[in-house]
Amino acid sequence: MKRLRLHRLSLKGKLTVLSAGAIFITYFVFTFLQYHIVRQWLLNEEEKAMEQTVAEIETYYAEKRNVSWEDIRRSRSFLEKLNERYQLIRVTDRDGNIIVSVSNSAAVSLWPGGVPDKLKMDEHFINNEQFLLLRQPLHVGNLSGTIEIARRLTKFQQVTNTMFVIMTVIGLAAMAASALAGRLVAQSFIQPLKTLAKTMADIKNNGLKQRIDVPSARDEIAELMQMFNSMMDEIERSFALQRQFVGDASHELRTPLAILQGHLSLLQRWGKHNPEILEESLEAAVKEAERLKRLVLELLDLSRAEAMEVPKEIAPIDAAAVIGQIVKNFRVLHPDFQFIVDQPEKPLARVAIAKHHFEQLLFILLDNAVKYSQRVKKIALSLREEGSFVTVAIRDYGIGIPQEELKNVFLRFYRVDKARSREQGGAGLGLSIAKEMIDKYGGQITMESEVGRGTTVKLAIPKAE
Ligand code: ADP
């Protein structure tokens, strides 16, 4: 029930209640112990004083020879001297008859009867006043009776009462102070969270640009804010990329569609009666349709590569065997090219990549090598083992890529020479698909190039365990 109510409180309320509660309980336990320890100590002091008094009386009587009840009666002045304020001392015989009694503002009406067999100390409340009663058996000569001391604990009561009042007052003040402190603590915790919530609301209303001013404190909340800001940066960046991608993709699709439309209307108007135009336009239209198809397929490949999840269990493959097969196909497709494969004599470790993905990667890279080679039609592949990777370097002797462009070629739709690349049918997606894919497998793709001398693309594929 109580839990449920605490549950319903705001975070601020919870923090206030919890911290105030914790402070108060600590204070309460501490003062409770303190009060009882001090009280016990004071009581012990009183008891010790009484025990000392009784010991002195006993010694006094023991020193007398042949002591009689009369002697004891006459010891009144000694007892009076020994007595303290708020204390009564008396001696009774075995039947409880009082032989001598001296009192200093300590009238006691009720005494426990009988002769004790040893020293007895009791606490009593008589008419709301606290007393300590000490009873000690007296055996001197042939007399036996009891020495009794009653001490009214007026001072002790005053001290403990005052202590109780002071502690209660301080306790109440501490409760108020701890509630206030709890509130302040809660406030300082909640304020940054409120800022966070406000920024989130602003982002919802005004867009992704908004960020939180992270306080200089290096606590967990500042960390959370920093994390939130960097998450927003990431979201904003990926939104911008997404927007750019959609823009680029539609632009890429628009060009062949416009060309196709142009040729079709040309055909509609003139082509029917002019076989030359008919032939030419049909050929151009088929070429554009081909390009469109390829573009759409590449877009599909890219989105597949992005969404691809690497299976947990991958059947390891022999990279050299796959390369052998692909190169064989390329030799058939491009008989004018020379393909050289160089690999170490000892068999290479198997690699952890799905076979069709590896084939797709090789296809993209070999296709580029062929596309961007004009004079020297030679492509060299070399396989190596490097640490935990098997690497495949594909070297061509083609047009090359300017140094400053190398970092861009993995971007989507990026083409170094726009016109030439388009002429060759490329949309600038091949390398982005390749990078996306190899990154997912925990591998790497790197490129070195020199304009006019050729390009080397290097794939590093993780070895299978
Ligand atoms: P594309 O489909 O246009 O070839 P890629 O993403 O595969 O797209 O390549 C991006 C750009 O990088 C290409 O347009 C081309 O300009 C350049 N490029 C890629 N590979 C080579 C290469 N082997 N030699 C020269 N330039 C290359």
Side-chain angles (χ1 to χ4, degrees):
M1 185 69 181
K2 222 174 183 178
R3 220 157 189 247
L4 205 72
R5 251 185 261 147
L6 191 63
H7 202 71
R8 268 197 232 137
L9 281 176
S10 68
L11 188 56
K12 188 168 162 184
K14 267 184 221 162
L15 280 172
T16 310
V17 170
L18 290 178
S19 53
I23 296 172
F24 182 70
I25 288 172
T26 314
Y27 174 82
F28 182 80
V29 170
F30 178 72
T31 16
F32 181 82
L33 285 177
Q34 200 182 23
Y35 175 77
H36 279 275
I37 289 168
V38 171
R39 187 182 181 281
Q40 199 53 50
W41 180 78
L42 286 174
L43 208 59
N44 283 350
E45 288 299 302
E46 300 276 355
E47 286 178 3
K48 250 194 265 169
M50 288 165 79
E51 278 164 17
Q52 210 169 339
T53 310
V54 92
E56 277 178 49
I57 298 169
E58 256 190 327
T59 321
Y60 178 77
Y61 290 148
E63 275 169 0
K64 289 188 188 294
R65 278 177 194 281
N66 295 327
V67 68
S68 65
W69 288 121
E70 191 48 40
D71 292 330
I72 290 184
R73 202 168 286 130
R74 272 200 242 112
S75 66
R76 163 178 289 276
S77 60
F78 166 73
L79 294 180
E80 269 171 354
K81 242 195 279 163
L82 203 63
N83 203 10
E84 284 177 27
R85 203 163 154 72
Y86 302 125
Q87 188 166 263
L88 176 150
I89 305 174
R90 68 182 200 178
V91 182
T92 61
D93 64 13
R94 207 184 324 191
D95 305 321
N97 302 313
I98 299 164
I99 311 298
V100 60
S101 168
V102 296
S103 159
N104 191 345
S105 325
V108 180
S109 48
L110 283 167
W111 287 87
V115 179
D117 47 0
K118 61 178 185 344
L119 189 144
K120 272 220 161 81
M121 181 80 77
D122 299 297
E123 230 181 304
H124 283 275
F125 273 94
I126 304 165
N127 296 333
N128 254 346
E129 289 194 323
Q130 200 175 353
F131 281 86
L132 268 180
L133 296 187
L134 181 151
R135 303 176 71 234
Q136 160 94 327
L138 172 72
H139 300 288
V140 276
N142 47 13
L143 302 182
S144 67
T146 317
I147 306 173
E148 297 177 328
I149 302 179
R151 191 185 268 245
R152 210 167 92 191
L153 297 176
T154 314
K155 245 204 180 133
F156 168 81
Q157 247 179 325
Q158 267 169 6
V159 171
T160 48
N161 282 351
T162 316
M163 220 161 75
F164 185 78
V165 171
I166 291 174
M167 283 179 173
T168 311
V169 170
I170 294 179
L172 289 174
M175 198 148 101
S178 54
L180 196 73
R183 221 181 141 71
L184 288 177
V185 169
Q187 200 124 23
S188 73
F189 271 119
I190 297 304
Q191 199 48 46
L193 291 181
K194 275 193 173 158
T195 319
L196 192 68
K198 189 182 168 305
T199 316
M200 284 181 184
D202 284 353
I203 288 171
K204 195 172 144 215
N205 297 330
N206 311 326
L208 301 174
K209 286 265 169 283
Q210 208 88 16
R211 294 290 181 277
I212 304 174
D213 287 331
V214 181
S216 51
R218 294 206 135 269
D219 58 11
E220 283 83 349
I221 293 185
E223 229 170 80
L224 178 74
M225 290 173 152
Q226 227 144 21
M227 199 101 94
F228 176 81
N229 278 353
S230 63
M231 189 187 76
M232 283 314 298
D233 289 345
E234 192 54 39
I235 290 177
E236 198 189 356
R237 205 179 63 85
S238 83
F239 253 71
L241 277 179
Q242 204 75 20
R243 205 175 301 133
Q244 192 191 345
F245 179 72
V246 172
D248 289 347
S250 53
H251 177 78
E252 290 296 326
L253 289 167
R254 209 180 304 134
T255 318
L257 278 174
I259 297 173
L260 235 148
Q261 195 189 18
H263 283 294
L264 288 178
S265 34
L266 198 70
L267 275 178
Q268 195 179 34
R269 255 180 283 155
W270 316 103
K272 279 177 235 156
H273 313 295
N274 187 338
E276 214 171 289
I277 291 183
L278 182 71
E279 185 56 35
E280 202 179 300
S281 286
L282 273 180
E283 199 182 310
V286 168
K287 207 168 136 199
E288 282 312 311
E290 193 70 34
R291 195 197 299 283
L292 252 179
K293 189 176 124 192
R294 203 163 37 219
L295 178 58
V296 170
L297 286 178
E298 278 188 353
L299 279 173
L300 214 63
D301 277 343
L302 181 62
S303 78
R304 275 205 204 112
E306 271 177 343
M308 178 182 95
E309 271 185 35
V310 175
K312 286 208 175 65
E313 301 272 318
I314 309 169
I317 57 162
D318 175 4
V322 178
I323 287 176
Q325 189 56 46
I326 293 271
V327 166
K328 212 160 140 192
N329 294 346
F330 264 79
R331 281 194 181 118
V332 176
L333 279 170
H334 305 282
D336 50 338
F337 270 82
Q338 185 192 0
F339 291 92
I340 302 161
V341 181
D342 163 45
Q343 67 187 82
E345 268 173 27
K346 96 179 201 322
L348 289 162
R350 292 175 165 257
V351 285
I353 184 168
K355 188 170 173 234
H356 66 285
H357 285 146
F358 188 45
E359 284 171 346
Q360 202 176 349
L361 280 168
L362 289 171
F363 186 86
I364 291 169
L365 301 182
L366 283 172
D367 188 49
N368 278 351
V370 169
K371 267 195 304 196
Y372 303 110
S373 294
Q374 273 142 9
R375 282 179 296 113
V376 186
K377 303 203 168 190
K378 186 169 122 183
I379 291 161
L381 291 95
S382 86
L383 278 122
R384 294 282 177 271
E385 269 188 39
E386 289 178 26
S388 56
F389 295 97
V390 167
T391 60
V392 185
I394 300 172
R395 164 142 183 71
D396 66 54
Y397 299 86
I399 59 172
I401 302 168
Q403 211 57 34
E404 65 277 10
E405 302 270 13
L406 271 179
K407 61 179 186 307
N408 297 328
V409 291
F410 295 104
L411 300 177
R412 292 156 184 185
F413 298 111
Y414 194 87
R415 288 172 294 208
V416 176
D417 181 339
K418 312 280 179 278
R420 176 150 46 180
S421 178
R422 188 178 144 66
E423 207 35 56
Q424 259 128 2
L429 287 178
L431 289 178
S432 17
I433 296 171
K435 181 158 170 53
E436 197 77 48
M437 220 182 278
I438 196 77
D439 281 353
K440 287 264 165 79
Y441 279 104
Q444 277 163 13
I445 183 166
T446 49
M447 212 172 197
E448 281 170 25
S449 189
E450 206 179 319
V451 176
R453 306 203 119 210
T455 307
T456 306
V457 188
K458 195 166 165 190
L459 272 183
I461 312 131
K463 285 181 188 171
E465 260 124 43

